[in-house]
């Protein structure tokens, strides 16, 4: 399967700081990327969908000014958690699909564990 | 609105036993269905993808069936091993490029 990477894998920050998480598709061009968050023992919650070169579409209840998404190229999307607070602590996972690949198979990154003190 | 359900939420079996994991969805108008595995603290690994026109897919010890009309998919894992212990998630996509709708997952423990 295709490879999606995330960086960093783990980040600890103080309340009020901003954190940027990078998501890269390593061996394919990702026309669409998705950002999820996951709380312990729960399933994934979709935050937003982004297509290369256009603004992200956010799910209901997700603050677009707090979670800034930039899908600047076909292989890179970034999620910036602005002015992070302890309640933003979570596991963030990105995912990507490519129309160029058959079947719309979706591939996931390894996740980023964010802890806000 | 599509809803995806996975039952049971947790399953424990002795090593060597076959695993049967169930997934049901309320709207049969799907584009494809994907099964994933998630290990604790990790991302998701794609196991099998079934297109809406297909009835099953196989990969090694894994076999997934799809009955679109009844809104069901089943993941079979033959001769389970302790390394198969993980959470298994199914997800459906309504149309190409659309988001996946996930089930709550089945947490599997294979005891040596």
């Amino acid at each position: 399967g295709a490879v999606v990477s995330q960086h960093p894998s783990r980040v600890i920050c103080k309340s009020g700081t901003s954190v940027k998480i990078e998501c890269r598709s390593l061996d394919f061009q990702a026309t669409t990327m998705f950002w999820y968050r996951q709380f312990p023992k729960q399933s994934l919650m979709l935050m937003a969908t982004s297509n290369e070169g256009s603004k992200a579409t956010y799910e209901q209840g997700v603050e677009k000014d707090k979670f800034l998404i930039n899908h600047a190229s076909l292989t890179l999307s970034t999620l910036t958690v602005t002015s992070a607070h302890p309640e933003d602590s979570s596991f963030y996972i990105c995912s990507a699909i490519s129309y160029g690949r058959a079947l719309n198979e979706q591939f996931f990154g390894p996740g980023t564990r964010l802890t806000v003190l | 609105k599509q809803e995806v359900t996975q039952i049971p939420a947790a399953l424990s079996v002795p090593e060597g036993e076959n695993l049967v994991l169930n997934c049901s969805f309320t709207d049969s108008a799907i584009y494809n269905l994907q099964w994933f595995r998630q290990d604790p603290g990790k991302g998701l690994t794609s196991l099998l993808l079934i297109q809406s026109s297909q009835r099953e897919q196989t990969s090694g010890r894994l076999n997934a069936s799809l009955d679109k009309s009844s809104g069901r998919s089943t993941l079979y894992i033959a001769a389970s091993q302790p390394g198969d212990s993980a959470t298994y998630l199914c997800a459906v996509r309504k149309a190409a490029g659309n988001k996946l709708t996930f089930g709550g997952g089945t947490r599997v423990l294979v005891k040596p």
Side-chain angles (χ1 to χ4, degrees):
Chain A
V3 179
V4 176
S5 71
Q6 274 183 250
H7 179 78
S9 58
R10 185 180 295 268
V11 59
I12 301 173
C13 68
K14 293 182 179 179
S15 185
T17 59
S18 293
V19 175
K20 181 185 281 189
I21 303 171
E22 287 189 352
C23 176
R24 292 181 186 273
S25 58
L26 297 185
D27 53 357
F28 68 103
Q29 293 185 325
T31 41
T32 302
M33 285 187 168
F34 304 87
W35 286 96
Y36 297 82
R37 67 187 296 182
Q38 186 178 35
F39 292 105
K41 297 190 186 296
Q42 295 186 23
S43 192
L44 282 75
M45 185 191 82
L46 180 65
M47 300 174 66
T49 301
S50 73
N51 293 295
E52 183 265 340
S54 61
K55 290 184 178 180
T57 301
Y58 290 81
E59 294 297 300
Q60 193 170 11
V62 178
E63 299 176 57
K64 63 180 181 180
D65 294 330
K66 179 157 187 71
F67 299 100
L68 300 178
I69 292 172
N70 187 331
H71 191 162
S73 77
L74 285 172
T75 59
L76 173 65
S77 176
T78 59
L79 167 67
T80 301
V81 183
T82 62
S83 186
H85 289 95
E87 59 266 29
D88 298 323
S89 298
S90 188
F91 192 54
Y92 292 86
I93 309 176
C94 74
S95 181
I97 59 174
S98 170
Y99 299 128
R101 293 180 70 94
L103 311 180
N104 253 209
E105 188 170 2
Q106 189 161 331
F107 299 97
F108 284 76
T112 296
R113 173 78 56 194
L114 171 63
T115 303
V116 185
L117 303 175
Chain B
K1 179 188 172 187
Q2 179 73 274
E3 292 183 5
V4 181
T5 304
Q6 291 184 249
I7 294 173
L11 185 59
S12 179
V13 299
E15 181 177 2
E17 198 166 290
N18 296 332
L19 282 163
V20 181
L21 308 179
N22 298 302
C23 172
S24 61
F25 45 95
T26 53
D27 186 350
S28 62
I30 64 170
Y31 178 75
N32 62 25
L33 181 146
Q34 217 169 330
W35 280 95
F36 297 92
R37 167 189 173 134
Q38 186 177 29
D39 293 286
K42 306 290 185 185
L44 275 65
T45 300
S46 178
L47 297 174
L48 290 167
L49 171 74
I50 310 178
Q51 289 296 90
S52 62
S53 59
Q54 297 175 318
R55 294 195 64 86
E56 68 174 345
Q57 278 288 338
T58 298
S59 176
R61 293 185 294 115
L62 276 60
N63 174 278
S65 66
L66 174 64
D67 184 343
K68 207 172 63 164
S69 61
S70 65
R72 291 180 188 172
S73 177
T74 302
L75 177 66
Y76 300 90
I77 303 178
S80 62
Q81 304 168 359
D84 294 328
S85 299
T87 296
Y88 291 83
L89 296 151
C90 77
V92 298
R93 191 186 310 281
K94 183 178 178 64
N98 278 23
K99 63 183 180 183
L100 286 172
T101 300
F102 279 90
T106 295
R107 192 166 65 254
V108 171
L109 175 63
V110 180
K111 295 181 284 187

